[in-house]
Amino acid sequence: APTSKDRIRDAQSLFAYGFANTAIYQDKTTEKILQIPVKKGVADTLHAVAKQDFSYLDQKKADLSQITSKQNLPENLTAPIKKGDTVGSIDYYLGDKQIGSIPVVAKESIAAAGYGDILQEMFCYYCFVSKSVGRSMVPQLPPPSICPRFARS
């Protein structure tokens, strides 16, 4: 454009077009903590989070309220699991079309249970939990410092 007024008018036209013909969808997925059962680990449950928030820029004037998400997480995981490992995904759809996906990662590490861990769990179960089951009363849970897997959450 030959003059600064022409350039400003052209810039205003481009901004007006962009705001009129695009829309953005955002989902704050990193705030959601997901839980996945763990087998053969020192903990029974893994806490996982989305690696990033999801954003989608639409240029076709679609109804963004129709966006749905689907969590693709395994039924369970087997230890060991390292913090940051990808354990699943969250997929986003607009109608039947997939418009994006974000990875779900482990928020913490979980080591594989060793012989000592299994022996401690058996000891705690025998000493604290099994003795009260047959008496039709609420099981007495041991202190978390002795038996962390039986501690109340």
Side-chain angles (χ1 to χ4, degrees):
T3 67
S4 64
K5 286 185 179 184
D6 291 338
R7 287 190 294 272
I8 290 172
R9 191 173 353 106
D10 289 346
Q12 288 174 335
S13 297
L14 284 172
F15 276 119
Y17 175 82
F19 286 118
N21 293 300
T22 61
I24 192 160
Y25 172 86
Q26 294 182 322
D27 189 13
K28 301 285 184 196
T29 51
T30 55
E31 298 172 0
K32 301 173 188 170
I33 297 179
L34 308 169
Q35 296 185 352
I36 304 171
V38 175
K39 290 183 175 182
K40 300 180 182 179
V42 295
D44 294 322
T45 305
L46 172 75
H47 295 99
V49 293
K51 191 172 186 176
Q52 64 203 36
D53 290 331
F54 178 75
S55 295
Y56 174 70
L57 178 65
D58 177 65
Q59 300 173 346
K60 299 178 183 176
K61 295 188 178 183
D63 182 8
L64 299 185
S65 67
Q66 299 300 313
I67 291 178
T68 57
S69 64
K70 179 184 175 193
Q71 295 178 0
N72 291 318
L73 301 173
E75 287 186 28
N76 56 58
L77 295 167
T78 303
I81 302 161
K82 292 181 183 174
K83 181 179 181 176
D85 283 354
T86 299
V87 295
S89 67
I90 301 175
D91 299 331
Y92 289 86
Y93 297 88
L94 182 57
D96 293 336
K97 182 183 175 193
Q98 183 175 349
I99 58 171
S101 180
I102 54 172
V104 174
V105 296
K107 189 176 178 182
E108 64 214 355
S109 295
I110 296 182
Y115 179 75
D117 298 311
I118 295 169
L119 191 61
Q120 180 185 18
E121 185 175 338
M122 290 172 50
F123 171 77
C124 289
Y125 183 80
Y126 176 76
C127 291
F128 294 100
V129 179
S130 67
K131 300 217 179 216
S132 57
V133 171
R135 298 181 187 148
S136 68
M137 58 190 301
V138 177
Q140 169 119 17
L141 296 178
S145 60
I146 298 173
C147 301
R149 290 186 74 144
F150 290 100
R152 294 180 196 244
S153 320

